[in-house]
Amino acid sequence: MEKAFFVTRAKVNFQFRRLYSTAVDKDSRRLCDQIVRPTGKKPAVDYTEKIRLIKYHYKETRKTHVFLTNNFELPVITSAIL
């Protein structure tokens, strides 16, 4: 059976502790690719697993979004499209 995963946008006030950062190319749209653990009262109790945090810049709209996923193998662009 396949494992379910999620991809969602992070709220502005999402609090986390960075555990690991992946190097990113300065010229790419991927601004940040990190493994984090949620902090704060409710998230730290409700979800204790590690999460992948991806910051991606859309050149067409000139906006940057932060995505959270529990899938560590998906390419960044796939997470951003989902």
Side-chain angles (χ1 to χ4, degrees):
M1 180 175 278
E2 293 293 319
K3 182 180 176 185
F5 69 92
F6 65 85
V7 176
T8 187
R9 282 186 37 200
K11 294 176 89 174
V12 176
N13 62 349
F14 175 68
Q15 296 176 350
F16 61 92
R17 183 172 53 98
R18 182 177 50 89
L19 303 174
Y20 179 78
S21 292
T22 303
V24 294
D25 182 11
K26 297 279 186 190
D27 296 328
S28 74
R29 295 177 178 202
R30 178 179 63 161
L31 303 177
C32 172
D33 189 357
Q34 300 177 336
I35 306 300
V36 301
R37 190 171 306 271
T39 60
K41 292 180 182 178
K42 191 164 175 58
V45 172
D46 290 345
Y47 196 84
T48 58
E49 301 295 320
K50 297 175 186 174
I51 298 176
R52 184 177 182 193
L53 182 143
I54 300 166
K55 190 181 286 189
Y56 191 83
H57 180 73
Y58 294 91
K59 290 181 181 177
E60 302 82 19
T61 60
R62 296 183 183 156
K63 292 186 178 184
T64 301
H65 294 289
V66 178
F67 298 99
L68 303 172
T69 182
N70 63 341
N71 189 321
F72 300 95
E73 298 170 5
L74 233 94
V76 170
I77 186 69
T78 306
S79 296
I81 290 171
L82 289 175

